[in-house]
Amino acid sequence: MRFETDAIHAGQDPDPTTGAVTVPIHATSTYAQDAPGEHRGFEYSRTGNPTRTALETALATLEGADVEMGGGAVATASGMAATALVGYLLRPGDHVLLPDDAYGGTFRFFTKVLAEQGIDWSAVDVTDARLVETALRPETKLVWVETPTNPLLRIADLERLGDLLRDRLFVVDNTFASPYLQRPLDFGADLVVHSTTKYLGGHSDVVGGAVVTAEPELAARLRFLQNAAGPVAGPFDAWLVLRGLKTLAVRMDRHQSNAQQVAEFLANDPRVAEVIYPGLASHPQHGLASRQMSGFGGMVSFRPRGGADAAVTVASSTRVFTLAESLGGVESLIEVPAAMTHTSVAGTTLEVPSDLVRLSVGIEHVDDLIDDLDQALG
Ligand code: P1T
């Protein structure tokens, strides 16, 4: 089936006992067994829960991981829990290559948590495959890539990296694009990580995450780790993400058409020094983004003239855009990464410019969004 159809139906058949057309919220910790050890597919909700299974099947299908062929997904309690599960695949002595522009929490996990357990790291500009090649060490087990990156919206060449990283774990955080716009497994990624808190949930009402793979051995290992370590999405949260997924395609179409118009407005405004949006011809990787993504997404970053003070003033002056962390919901959000989402990278190679403003462009009427930015810049 095509993406829009899978988003509504994959893993989400009507309930076999009642005919309910939406997957029920299976709020249960345990399941009656017919005889000791004889159960109907579910024993205990950390190991498996039908609502979570539905979400996992849908996510795997949307990312192009064939469930019939042993691919799969694990749905976790947050995006960071998904990242932590990936971390369990590493051993002391392994080296990981991190992007030098990424969500601050991802960087914090590898450099402040896993580093203490003997897992070495270095950071590189993953948008330059030659730099990645040079930075690889014999003990480099895993390469982590975000594309578009958070918050500078740089684009990594997934096809080139897929070729280069055949013998390593190639992990792509696909949160900003969503599988509607980009499917990293098609380019050779081994694992796709999501914060489902963002576009997949889509309504700023849930925190969740997922890891997806097409490789049966990795899928089995992730399921084992999820059960062994316990970072599961609860049934209510899994249901909210499932509900969000159904409208991902239509929301994303509107997010990106609004984002394109907002980016063009900002690019033509003399009060703005720089606009970063992969859909602008001025973006250094506009061509690459056009090839590997089917759209440019809903995130726009910009630097108002006047430095960090101006960034803080603009972000504090909007009326439709809410000043808040996170992204990917139907409502527009504005933030200053250096003071909010990316404080954990201050003073590191990932430090973001203090005058950068990040927009998560929502699906409101675009004229209201542009009017709001116009008055805030004023
Ligand atoms: O917040 P959580 O669901 O745990 O997901 C972490 C995460 C992982 N990957 C990316 C690309 C992310 O952007 C995030 C979370 N980011 C924000 C909260 C933010 O405002 O950027």
Side-chain angles (χ1 to χ4, degrees):
M1 295 289 172
R2 291 165 184 79
F3 187 94
E4 292 81 347
T5 313
D6 277 337
I8 292 165
H9 296 292
Q12 303 166 70
D13 288 339
D15 182 55
T17 47
T18 62
V21 293
T22 50
V23 173
I25 302 172
H26 288 275
T28 187
S29 57
T30 192
Y31 304 81
Q33 304 202 0
D34 298 327
E38 257 180 54
H39 56 78
R40 303 166 210 173
F42 295 94
E43 305 156 79
Y44 183 63
S45 274
R46 167 162 44 73
T47 319
N49 173 287
T51 315
R52 195 174 90 223
T53 301
L55 173 61
E56 292 171 339
T57 304
L59 289 174
T61 307
L62 294 179
E63 283 290 357
D66 193 335
V67 186
E68 308 278 304
M69 302 294 286
V74 288
T76 55
S78 66
M80 288 318 303
T83 302
L85 259 191
V86 173
Y88 283 122
L89 298 171
L90 300 168
R91 298 278 167 278
D94 287 343
H95 167 256
V96 295
L97 202 53
L98 302 174
D100 71 355
D101 179 32
Y103 174 55
T106 304
F107 186 74
R108 179 175 55 204
F109 178 70
F110 280 102
T111 64
K112 298 238 166 75
V113 180
L114 288 189
E116 283 189 350
Q117 296 174 20
I119 293 155
D120 200 7
W121 64 274
S122 55
V124 69
D125 177 359
V126 294
T127 67
D128 186 336
R130 283 164 308 177
L131 292 179
V132 173
E133 189 165 13
T134 318
L136 289 174
R137 303 177 190 170
E139 62 276 19
T140 305
K141 171 87 183 284
L142 181 154
V143 178
W144 188 281
V145 166
E146 235 180 67
T147 182
T149 59
N150 179 2
L152 292 171
L153 305 175
R154 291 192 274 175
I155 310 292
D157 187 333
L158 292 176
E159 190 171 13
R160 282 201 61 188
L161 290 173
D163 286 345
L164 183 66
L165 302 173
R166 278 180 201 283
D167 302 330
R168 330 249 175 184
L169 266 180
F170 175 25
V171 185
V172 178
D173 184 331
N174 203 25
T175 297
F176 268 37
S178 90
Y180 181 55
L181 302 183
Q182 169 175 283
R183 301 219 302 190
L185 300 179
D186 295 348
F187 296 102
D190 299 296
L191 299 173
V192 166
V193 168
H194 276 286
S195 168
T196 57
T197 316
K198 313 293 166 21
Y199 288 104
L200 301 183
H203 296 75
S204 305
D205 53 9
V206 63
V207 169
V211 190
V212 189
T213 180
E215 298 164 40
E217 267 179 35
L218 271 177
R221 181 76 188 151
L222 287 168
R223 272 194 287 272
F224 167 80
L225 289 170
Q226 184 187 40
N227 185 46
V232 294
F236 290 85
D237 288 351
W239 187 87
L240 280 171
V241 179
L242 264 180
R243 172 162 147 152
L245 267 189
K246 291 178 192 285
T247 54
L248 175 64
V250 284
R251 281 186 287 108
M252 209 41 140
D253 284 343
R254 178 68 165 264
H255 278 296
Q256 55 188 3
S257 104
N258 280 1
Q260 182 77 37
Q261 291 172 75
V262 163
E264 285 168 11
F265 161 76
L266 293 170
N268 289 318
D269 194 300
R271 296 166 296 185
V272 174
E274 185 189 359
V275 184
I276 308 170
Y277 182 63
L280 292 178
S282 60
H283 189 287
Q285 292 143 325
H286 175 63
L288 172 60
S290 314
R291 287 196 300 281
Q292 77 182 19
M293 302 173 75
S294 58
F296 303 107
M299 301 300 293
V300 177
S301 291
F302 71 101
R303 304 165 86 163
R305 287 194 200 283
D309 288 349
V312 168
T313 306
V314 170
S316 312
S317 306
T318 51
R319 295 175 193 141
V320 182
F321 282 84
T322 300
L323 177 63
E325 300 194 2
S326 201
L327 57 119
V330 290
E331 60 289 289
S332 292
L333 303 180
I334 188 167
E335 69 129 358
V336 179
M340 296 170 68
T341 49
H342 287 69
T343 47
S344 61
V345 298
T348 72
T349 45
L350 273 81
E351 181 152 0
V352 293
S354 59
D355 61 347
L356 193 78
V357 176
R358 190 189 76 179
L359 302 177
S360 173
V361 180
I363 65 169
E364 300 95 336
H365 198 291
V366 70
D367 291 346
D368 290 328
L369 300 181
I370 289 173
D371 288 349
D372 190 32
L373 291 170
D374 188 28
Q375 67 78 25
L377 281 163

Short mmCIF file of all heavy atoms in Angstrom, two decimals, residues 215-259:
data_model
loop_
_atom_site.label_atom_id
_atom_site.label_comp_id
_atom_site.label_asym_id
_atom_site.label_seq_id
_atom_site.Cartn_x
_atom_site.Cartn_y
_atom_site.Cartn_z
N GLU A 215 16.48 -5.29 9.61
CA GLU A 215 17.34 -6.47 9.77
C GLU A 215 16.82 -7.36 10.90
O GLU A 215 16.77 -6.94 12.06
CB GLU A 215 18.78 -6.00 10.04
CG GLU A 215 19.34 -5.19 8.87
CD GLU A 215 20.59 -4.38 9.23
OE1 GLU A 215 21.44 -4.89 9.97
OE2 GLU A 215 20.68 -3.24 8.76
N PRO A 216 16.43 -8.60 10.57
CA PRO A 216 15.80 -9.48 11.57
C PRO A 216 16.63 -9.66 12.84
O PRO A 216 16.07 -9.64 13.94
CB PRO A 216 15.64 -10.80 10.82
CG PRO A 216 15.60 -10.43 9.38
CD PRO A 216 16.46 -9.23 9.22
N GLU A 217 17.95 -9.81 12.71
CA GLU A 217 18.77 -10.03 13.92
C GLU A 217 18.75 -8.81 14.83
O GLU A 217 18.66 -8.93 16.05
CB GLU A 217 20.22 -10.31 13.53
CG GLU A 217 20.49 -11.79 13.39
CD GLU A 217 21.93 -12.07 12.99
OE1 GLU A 217 22.84 -11.33 13.41
OE2 GLU A 217 22.10 -13.02 12.20
N LEU A 218 18.83 -7.63 14.21
CA LEU A 218 18.80 -6.40 15.01
C LEU A 218 17.43 -6.21 15.64
O LEU A 218 17.31 -5.78 16.79
CB LEU A 218 19.14 -5.20 14.13
CG LEU A 218 20.61 -4.81 14.02
CD1 LEU A 218 20.77 -3.64 13.04
CD2 LEU A 218 21.19 -4.44 15.39
N ALA A 219 16.38 -6.54 14.88
CA ALA A 219 15.02 -6.39 15.42
C ALA A 219 14.84 -7.29 16.64
O ALA A 219 14.30 -6.87 17.67
CB ALA A 219 13.99 -6.72 14.34
N ALA A 220 15.33 -8.53 16.55
CA ALA A 220 15.21 -9.47 17.67
C ALA A 220 16.03 -8.96 18.87
O ALA A 220 15.57 -9.03 20.01
CB ALA A 220 15.69 -10.85 17.24
N ARG A 221 17.21 -8.44 18.60
CA ARG A 221 18.07 -7.93 19.68
C ARG A 221 17.40 -6.73 20.38
O ARG A 221 17.41 -6.63 21.60
CB ARG A 221 19.42 -7.53 19.09
CG ARG A 221 20.42 -7.01 20.08
CD ARG A 221 21.04 -8.13 20.91
NE ARG A 221 21.87 -7.61 21.99
CZ ARG A 221 22.08 -8.21 23.15
NH1 ARG A 221 21.55 -9.37 23.40
NH2 ARG A 221 22.85 -7.66 24.07
N LEU A 222 16.80 -5.85 19.57
CA LEU A 222 16.14 -4.68 20.16
C LEU A 222 14.94 -5.09 21.01
O LEU A 222 14.71 -4.54 22.08
CB LEU A 222 15.69 -3.71 19.06
CG LEU A 222 16.82 -2.91 18.40
CD1 LEU A 222 16.31 -2.21 17.15
CD2 LEU A 222 17.41 -1.89 19.38
N ARG A 223 14.21 -6.09 20.53
CA ARG A 223 13.05 -6.56 21.32
C ARG A 223 13.53 -7.18 22.63
O ARG A 223 12.96 -6.96 23.69
CB ARG A 223 12.22 -7.56 20.50
CG ARG A 223 11.16 -6.87 19.65
CD ARG A 223 10.14 -7.87 19.12
NE ARG A 223 10.72 -8.70 18.08
CZ ARG A 223 10.73 -8.36 16.79
NH1 ARG A 223 10.17 -7.25 16.38
NH2 ARG A 223 11.28 -9.16 15.90
N PHE A 224 14.63 -7.94 22.53
CA PHE A 224 15.20 -8.53 23.76
C PHE A 224 15.62 -7.41 24.72
O PHE A 224 15.30 -7.45 25.91
CB PHE A 224 16.42 -9.40 23.40
CG PHE A 224 17.23 -9.78 24.60
CD1 PHE A 224 16.83 -10.82 25.42
CD2 PHE A 224 18.38 -9.06 24.96
CE1 PHE A 224 17.55 -11.15 26.56
CE2 PHE A 224 19.11 -9.38 26.10
CZ PHE A 224 18.69 -10.43 26.90
N LEU A 225 16.33 -6.41 24.20
CA LEU A 225 16.82 -5.32 25.06
C LEU A 225 15.66 -4.53 25.65
O LEU A 225 15.69 -4.12 26.81
CB LEU A 225 17.74 -4.39 24.26
CG LEU A 225 19.10 -4.98 23.89
CD1 LEU A 225 19.82 -4.07 22.89
CD2 LEU A 225 19.96 -5.17 25.15
N GLN A 226 14.62 -4.32 24.84
CA GLN A 226 13.48 -3.56 25.35
C GLN A 226 12.83 -4.29 26.52
O GLN A 226 12.50 -3.70 27.54
CB GLN A 226 12.46 -3.34 24.23
CG GLN A 226 11.29 -2.48 24.67
CD GLN A 226 10.19 -2.41 23.64
OE1 GLN A 226 9.86 -3.41 23.01
NE2 GLN A 226 9.63 -1.24 23.46
N ASN A 227 12.71 -5.61 26.39
CA ASN A 227 12.11 -6.39 27.47
C ASN A 227 13.05 -6.48 28.66
O ASN A 227 12.63 -6.40 29.82
CB ASN A 227 11.76 -7.80 26.96
CG ASN A 227 11.02 -8.60 28.01
OD1 ASN A 227 10.10 -8.08 28.64
ND2 ASN A 227 11.44 -9.83 28.23
N ALA A 228 14.35 -6.60 28.38
CA ALA A 228 15.33 -6.75 29.47
C ALA A 228 15.52 -5.46 30.25
O ALA A 228 15.65 -5.48 31.47
CB ALA A 228 16.67 -7.22 28.89
N ALA A 229 15.53 -4.34 29.54
CA ALA A 229 15.81 -3.05 30.22
C ALA A 229 14.54 -2.29 30.56
O ALA A 229 14.54 -1.46 31.47
CB ALA A 229 16.73 -2.20 29.34
N GLY A 230 13.47 -2.50 29.80
CA GLY A 230 12.16 -1.97 30.18
C GLY A 230 11.70 -0.61 29.66
O GLY A 230 10.66 -0.13 30.12
N PRO A 231 12.40 0.03 28.71
CA PRO A 231 11.92 1.36 28.29
C PRO A 231 10.79 1.29 27.27
O PRO A 231 10.99 1.51 26.08
CB PRO A 231 13.18 1.98 27.66
CG PRO A 231 13.92 0.83 27.10
CD PRO A 231 13.61 -0.37 27.98
N VAL A 232 9.60 0.96 27.74
CA VAL A 232 8.48 0.74 26.81
C VAL A 232 7.54 1.95 26.76
O VAL A 232 7.42 2.70 27.72
CB VAL A 232 7.65 -0.49 27.23
CG1 VAL A 232 8.48 -1.75 27.08
CG2 VAL A 232 7.11 -0.37 28.65
N ALA A 233 6.88 2.10 25.62
CA ALA A 233 5.78 3.07 25.52
C ALA A 233 4.56 2.45 26.18
O ALA A 233 4.22 1.30 25.91
CB ALA A 233 5.49 3.37 24.05
N GLY A 234 3.89 3.19 27.05
CA GLY A 234 2.65 2.69 27.66
C GLY A 234 1.53 2.70 26.65
O GLY A 234 1.60 3.37 25.62
N PRO A 235 0.43 1.94 26.92
CA PRO A 235 -0.64 1.81 25.93
C PRO A 235 -1.34 3.13 25.60
O PRO A 235 -1.73 3.36 24.46
CB PRO A 235 -1.60 0.80 26.56
CG PRO A 235 -1.22 0.73 28.00
CD PRO A 235 0.22 1.09 28.10
N PHE A 236 -1.49 4.01 26.58
CA PHE A 236 -2.17 5.29 26.30
C PHE A 236 -1.29 6.13 25.35
O PHE A 236 -1.78 6.72 24.38
CB PHE A 236 -2.42 6.07 27.59
CG PHE A 236 -3.48 5.47 28.47
CD1 PHE A 236 -3.16 4.46 29.38
CD2 PHE A 236 -4.80 5.88 28.40
CE1 PHE A 236 -4.14 3.89 30.18
CE2 PHE A 236 -5.79 5.31 29.20
CZ PHE A 236 -5.46 4.31 30.11
N ASP A 237 0.01 6.17 25.65
CA ASP A 237 0.93 6.94 24.80
C ASP A 237 1.04 6.33 23.41
O ASP A 237 1.06 7.04 22.40
CB ASP A 237 2.31 7.02 25.46
CG ASP A 237 2.31 7.93 26.68
OD1 ASP A 237 1.30 8.62 26.90
OD2 ASP A 237 3.33 7.95 27.41
N ALA A 238 1.11 4.99 23.35
CA ALA A 238 1.20 4.33 22.04
C ALA A 238 -0.04 4.68 21.22
O ALA A 238 0.04 4.94 20.01
CB ALA A 238 1.32 2.82 22.23
N TRP A 239 -1.19 4.73 21.87
CA TRP A 239 -2.44 5.03 21.17
C TRP A 239 -2.44 6.46 20.63
O TRP A 239 -2.88 6.72 19.50
CB TRP A 239 -3.62 4.82 22.13
CG TRP A 239 -4.95 4.94 21.46
CD1 TRP A 239 -5.63 3.95 20.82
CD2 TRP A 239 -5.74 6.12 21.36
NE1 TRP A 239 -6.80 4.46 20.32
CE2 TRP A 239 -6.90 5.79 20.63
CE3 TRP A 239 -5.59 7.43 21.81
CZ2 TRP A 239 -7.90 6.70 20.34
CZ3 TRP A 239 -6.58 8.35 21.52
CH2 TRP A 239 -7.72 7.99 20.79
N LEU A 240 -1.92 7.39 21.42
CA LEU A 240 -1.87 8.79 20.94
C LEU A 240 -0.98 8.90 19.70
O LEU A 240 -1.30 9.64 18.76
CB LEU A 240 -1.34 9.71 22.05
CG LEU A 240 -2.36 10.12 23.10
CD1 LEU A 240 -1.68 10.84 24.26
CD2 LEU A 240 -3.44 11.02 22.49
N VAL A 241 0.14 8.19 19.70
CA VAL A 241 1.02 8.26 18.53
C VAL A 241 0.34 7.60 17.32
O VAL A 241 0.38 8.13 16.21
CB VAL A 241 2.40 7.62 18.82
CG1 VAL A 241 3.29 7.68 17.58
CG2 VAL A 241 3.09 8.32 19.99
N LEU A 242 -0.34 6.47 17.56
CA LEU A 242 -1.08 5.81 16.47
C LEU A 242 -2.11 6.76 15.86
O LEU A 242 -2.28 6.84 14.65
CB LEU A 242 -1.85 4.61 17.02
CG LEU A 242 -1.23 3.23 16.92
CD1 LEU A 242 -2.20 2.22 17.53
CD2 LEU A 242 -0.91 2.83 15.49
N ARG A 243 -2.80 7.47 16.74
CA ARG A 243 -3.83 8.41 16.27
C ARG A 243 -3.19 9.54 15.47
O ARG A 243 -3.70 9.95 14.44
CB ARG A 243 -4.58 8.96 17.47
CG ARG A 243 -5.53 10.06 17.10
CD ARG A 243 -6.52 10.23 18.18
NE ARG A 243 -6.91 11.62 18.28
CZ ARG A 243 -8.10 11.99 18.73
NH1 ARG A 243 -8.97 11.10 19.11
NH2 ARG A 243 -8.39 13.25 18.82
N GLY A 244 -2.02 10.02 15.95
CA GLY A 244 -1.32 11.06 15.22
C GLY A 244 -0.85 10.59 13.84
O GLY A 244 -0.97 11.30 12.84
N LEU A 245 -0.33 9.37 13.81
CA LEU A 245 0.23 8.83 12.56
C LEU A 245 -0.75 8.87 11.40
O LEU A 245 -0.36 9.07 10.25
CB LEU A 245 0.56 7.35 12.76
CG LEU A 245 1.94 6.92 13.20
CD1 LEU A 245 2.02 5.40 13.11
CD2 LEU A 245 3.00 7.57 12.34
N LYS A 246 -2.04 8.65 11.73
CA LYS A 246 -3.05 8.54 10.67
C LYS A 246 -3.08 9.80 9.79
O LYS A 246 -3.39 9.73 8.61
CB LYS A 246 -4.43 8.29 11.27
CG LYS A 246 -4.57 6.91 11.89
CD LYS A 246 -5.95 6.75 12.52
CE LYS A 246 -6.05 5.51 13.40
NZ LYS A 246 -6.14 4.26 12.65
N THR A 247 -2.79 10.96 10.40
CA THR A 247 -2.87 12.21 9.64
C THR A 247 -1.50 12.78 9.30
O THR A 247 -1.38 13.93 8.87
CB THR A 247 -3.65 13.27 10.45
OG1 THR A 247 -3.03 13.41 11.74
CG2 THR A 247 -5.11 12.88 10.62
N LEU A 248 -0.45 11.98 9.48
CA LEU A 248 0.91 12.50 9.26
C LEU A 248 1.07 13.13 7.86
O LEU A 248 1.60 14.23 7.72
CB LEU A 248 1.94 11.37 9.46
CG LEU A 248 3.39 11.74 9.15
CD1 LEU A 248 3.89 12.81 10.10
CD2 LEU A 248 4.29 10.50 9.24
N ALA A 249 0.58 12.44 6.85
CA ALA A 249 0.81 12.92 5.49
C ALA A 249 0.13 14.27 5.24
O ALA A 249 0.76 15.20 4.72
CB ALA A 249 0.30 11.88 4.48
N VAL A 250 -1.12 14.40 5.66
CA VAL A 250 -1.80 15.68 5.39
C VAL A 250 -1.22 16.80 6.26
O VAL A 250 -1.09 17.94 5.81
CB VAL A 250 -3.33 15.61 5.57
CG1 VAL A 250 -3.98 14.90 4.40
CG2 VAL A 250 -3.74 14.98 6.87
N ARG A 251 -0.85 16.45 7.50
CA ARG A 251 -0.25 17.50 8.34
C ARG A 251 1.07 17.96 7.75
O ARG A 251 1.37 19.14 7.66
CB ARG A 251 -0.02 16.96 9.76
CG ARG A 251 -1.26 16.93 10.63
CD ARG A 251 -0.94 16.54 12.06
NE ARG A 251 -0.61 15.14 12.25
CZ ARG A 251 0.59 14.66 12.51
NH1 ARG A 251 1.63 15.46 12.64
NH2 ARG A 251 0.78 13.35 12.66
N MET A 252 1.88 16.97 7.34
CA MET A 252 3.21 17.30 6.84
C MET A 252 3.14 18.16 5.57
O MET A 252 3.94 19.08 5.39
CB MET A 252 3.98 16.00 6.59
CG MET A 252 5.46 16.08 6.75
SD MET A 252 5.99 17.06 8.16
CE MET A 252 7.31 16.14 8.78
N ASP A 253 2.16 17.86 4.71
CA ASP A 253 1.99 18.69 3.50
C ASP A 253 1.77 20.15 3.90
O ASP A 253 2.35 21.06 3.31
CB ASP A 253 0.80 18.19 2.67
CG ASP A 253 1.13 16.91 1.90
OD1 ASP A 253 2.33 16.59 1.75
OD2 ASP A 253 0.17 16.23 1.46
N ARG A 254 0.92 20.35 4.90
CA ARG A 254 0.61 21.72 5.30
C ARG A 254 1.79 22.36 6.06
O ARG A 254 2.09 23.53 5.85
CB ARG A 254 -0.65 21.69 6.17
CG ARG A 254 -1.06 23.04 6.70
CD ARG A 254 -1.54 23.98 5.58
NE ARG A 254 -2.22 25.09 6.19
CZ ARG A 254 -3.55 25.17 6.34
NH1 ARG A 254 -4.33 24.24 5.86
NH2 ARG A 254 -4.09 26.20 6.96
N HIS A 255 2.45 21.55 6.93
CA HIS A 255 3.62 22.07 7.65
C HIS A 255 4.62 22.62 6.64
O HIS A 255 5.17 23.71 6.81
CB HIS A 255 4.33 20.94 8.42
CG HIS A 255 3.72 20.60 9.74
ND1 HIS A 255 3.69 21.48 10.79
CD2 HIS A 255 3.17 19.45 10.21
CE1 HIS A 255 3.12 20.89 11.85
NE2 HIS A 255 2.79 19.66 11.51
N GLN A 256 4.89 21.84 5.60
CA GLN A 256 5.97 22.27 4.73
C GLN A 256 5.56 23.36 3.76
O GLN A 256 6.37 24.20 3.40
CB GLN A 256 6.67 21.12 4.04
CG GLN A 256 5.82 20.20 3.25
CD GLN A 256 6.65 19.00 2.80
OE1 GLN A 256 7.82 18.88 3.15
NE2 GLN A 256 6.06 18.12 2.01
N SER A 257 4.30 23.41 3.39
CA SER A 257 3.92 24.53 2.52
C SER A 257 3.95 25.83 3.35
O SER A 257 4.41 26.87 2.89
CB SER A 257 2.59 24.26 1.82
OG SER A 257 1.55 24.97 2.40
N ASN A 258 3.50 25.76 4.61
CA ASN A 258 3.60 26.94 5.48
C ASN A 258 5.06 27.32 5.72
O ASN A 258 5.42 28.51 5.70
CB ASN A 258 2.93 26.65 6.83
CG ASN A 258 1.41 26.78 6.78
OD1 ASN A 258 0.85 27.07 5.73
ND2 ASN A 258 0.75 26.56 7.90
N ALA A 259 5.92 26.32 5.98
CA ALA A 259 7.33 26.59 6.28
C ALA A 259 8.02 27.25 5.08
O ALA A 259 8.81 28.19 5.24
CB ALA A 259 8.05 25.30 6.65
#
